[in-house]
Amino acid sequence: MMLVVGADLSKRLVPDELWELVVPLLPSFAARPHGGGTAPCDERAVFTAGVLY
Protein backbone atom coordinates (compact mmCIF):
# COMPACT_ATOMS: atom_id res chain seq x y z
CA MET A 1 0.00 0.00 0.00
CA MET A 2 1.33 3.41 -0.97
CA LEU A 3 0.30 6.43 1.07
CA VAL A 4 -0.03 9.73 -0.77
CA VAL A 5 0.08 12.79 1.44
CA GLY A 6 -1.37 16.02 0.09
CA ALA A 7 -0.40 19.55 1.07
CA ASP A 8 -3.61 20.06 3.07
CA LEU A 9 -3.09 16.88 5.08
CA SER A 10 0.55 17.60 5.78
CA LYS A 11 -0.32 21.12 7.00
CA ARG A 12 -2.88 19.67 9.41
CA LEU A 13 -0.65 16.87 10.72
CA VAL A 14 2.56 18.90 10.89
CA PRO A 15 1.70 22.38 12.21
CA ASP A 16 3.79 25.36 11.09
CA GLU A 17 5.43 25.59 14.52
CA LEU A 18 6.72 22.02 14.27
CA TRP A 19 7.75 22.46 10.63
CA GLU A 20 9.84 25.53 11.58
CA LEU A 21 11.78 23.32 14.02
CA VAL A 22 12.30 20.54 11.46
CA VAL A 23 13.37 22.56 8.39
CA PRO A 24 16.85 23.50 9.69
CA LEU A 25 17.59 19.82 10.32
CA LEU A 26 16.92 18.75 6.72
CA PRO A 27 19.78 18.58 4.22
CA SER A 28 19.59 21.12 1.42
CA PHE A 29 18.99 19.96 -2.14
CA ALA A 30 21.91 20.39 -4.51
CA ALA A 31 21.53 19.51 -8.18
CA ARG A 32 24.34 17.47 -9.66
CA PRO A 33 26.35 19.36 -12.29
CA HIS A 34 26.01 16.54 -14.83
CA GLY A 35 22.38 15.71 -14.06
CA GLY A 36 20.95 12.53 -12.64
CA GLY A 37 20.20 11.85 -9.01
CA THR A 38 16.96 12.47 -7.17
CA ALA A 39 14.58 15.26 -8.09
CA PRO A 40 13.48 17.64 -5.34
CA CYS A 41 10.16 16.81 -3.70
CA ASP A 42 7.75 18.24 -1.15
CA GLU A 43 9.79 17.74 2.02
CA ARG A 44 6.87 18.48 4.32
CA ALA A 45 4.75 15.74 2.68
CA VAL A 46 7.63 13.25 3.00
CA PHE A 47 8.12 14.17 6.67
CA THR A 48 4.38 13.81 7.29
CA ALA A 49 4.36 10.35 5.73
CA GLY A 50 7.17 9.36 8.11
CA VAL A 51 5.18 10.65 11.07
CA LEU A 52 2.19 8.54 10.01
CA TYR A 53 4.19 5.31 10.12
Side-chain angles (χ1 to χ4, degrees):
M1 179 175 121
M2 185 174 158
L3 179 65
V4 177
V5 178
D8 292 338
L9 181 60
S10 55
K11 284 236 178 213
R12 284 189 292 150
L13 295 175
V14 179
D16 290 336
E17 296 80 13
L18 174 59
W19 186 240
E20 288 175 14
L21 294 173
V22 171
V23 169
L25 303 174
L26 299 175
S28 60
F29 175 79
R32 293 181 180 181
H34 299 291
T38 306
C41 59
D42 181 2
E43 294 174 332
R44 190 171 185 157
V46 173
F47 180 78
T48 304
V51 170
L52 292 175
Y53 284 103

